[in-house]
């Protein structure tokens, strides 16, 4: 297989862009189909597809925020106006958010951990796919990924959990590259 410099450059330049700096336009329907196809081309021991995707777009982003805001107010009636607004805007301003749901479950051959890692790869492929299509993305979880009631409100079924939410849009800023670890600090060579 020949080296592909464009892919190498892509991998060396990909950066996350915070959701607050992701605006329209988002992927059109054809681009979204390509993006979701890229997302699902991940390592998947046993071909289980131990994940599924929930797309939040258009007015559904506002409705999701309204549900999270209402739940947050029930849990914490004294929320500040800033926090109320923050909860309401959980899926804004990014024009698209994809929730990646892990369906990892006991299996006679494939450990649940491997299934969860497959879902994590779906998240990261969404980030890479967005970058490859000229968009930017941010992969996050937030409190509602770990809260059973909030997760149900957002479409999770029994036995499932969110692996993450990938916010996608057009970057409104050029993010600075962050410092990366020195390879000498994170790489060792096993010598037996």
């Amino acid at each position: 297989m020949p080296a592909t410099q464009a892919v190498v450059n892509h991998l060396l330049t990909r950066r996350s862009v915070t959701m607050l700096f992701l605006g329209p336009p988002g992927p059109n329907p054809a681009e979204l189909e390509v993006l979701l196809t890229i997302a699902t081309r991940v390592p998947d021991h046993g071909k289980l597809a131990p994940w599924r995707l929930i797309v939040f777009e258009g007015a559904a982003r506002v409705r999701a925020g309204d549900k999270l805001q209402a739940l947050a107010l029930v849990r914490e009636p004294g929320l500040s106006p800033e926090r109320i607004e923050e909860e309401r805007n959980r899926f804004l301003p990014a024009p698209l958010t994809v929730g990646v749901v892990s369906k990892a479950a006991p299996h006679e051959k494939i450990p649940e951990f491997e299934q969860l890692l497959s879902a994590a790869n779906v998240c990261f492929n969404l980030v890479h796919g967005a970058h490859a299509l000229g968009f930017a993305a941010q992969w996050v979880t937030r409190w509602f990924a770990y809260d059973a009631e909030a997760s149900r409100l957002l479409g999770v079924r029994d036995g499932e959990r969110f692996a993450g939410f990938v916010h996608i849009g057009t970057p409104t800023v050029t993010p600075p590259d962050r410092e990366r670890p020195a390879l000498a600090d994170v790489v060792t060579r096993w010598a037996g």
Side-chain angles (χ1 to χ4, degrees), residues 102-159:
S102 170
K103 302 189 312 178
H107 189 278
E108 66 276 1
K109 292 183 180 177
I110 292 89
E112 286 183 60
F113 184 66
E114 287 186 20
Q115 297 173 52
L116 180 59
L117 292 175
S118 185
N121 275 279
V122 172
C123 292
F124 203 31
N125 263 14
L126 281 166
V127 172
H128 278 299
H131 184 71
L133 290 169
F135 300 101
Q138 181 186 28
W139 171 13
V140 297
T141 49
R142 307 285 191 239
W143 68 270
F144 42 90
Y146 303 103
D147 182 284
E149 186 175 357
S151 291
R152 274 193 304 279
L153 287 173
L154 297 174
V156 164
R157 302 173 188 144
D158 288 343

Side-chain angles (χ1 to χ4, degrees), residues 174-192:
T174 301
D177 201 2
R178 67 176 176 81
E179 188 175 327
R180 307 293 171 163
L183 293 181
D185 294 339
V186 296
V187 177
T188 56
R189 287 185 166 72
W190 188 75

Side-chain angles (χ1 to χ4, degrees), residues 8 40 101 175 191:
V8 171
T40 59
V101 178

Side-chain angles (χ1 to χ4, degrees), residues 85-97:
E85 193 65 14
E86 180 182 355
E87 297 304 336
R88 187 168 183 272
N89 293 319
R90 286 296 186 180
F91 291 88
L92 300 172
L96 173 72
T97 297

Side-chain angles (χ1 to χ4, degrees), residues 68-79 83 143-144 146-153:
L68 291 174
Q69 177 191 39
L71 180 59
L73 280 168
V74 166
R75 299 261 172 85
E76 298 178 56
L79 281 180
R83 267 290 307 284
W143 68 270
F144 42 90
Y146 303 103
D147 182 284
E149 186 175 357
S151 291
R152 274 193 304 279
L153 287 173

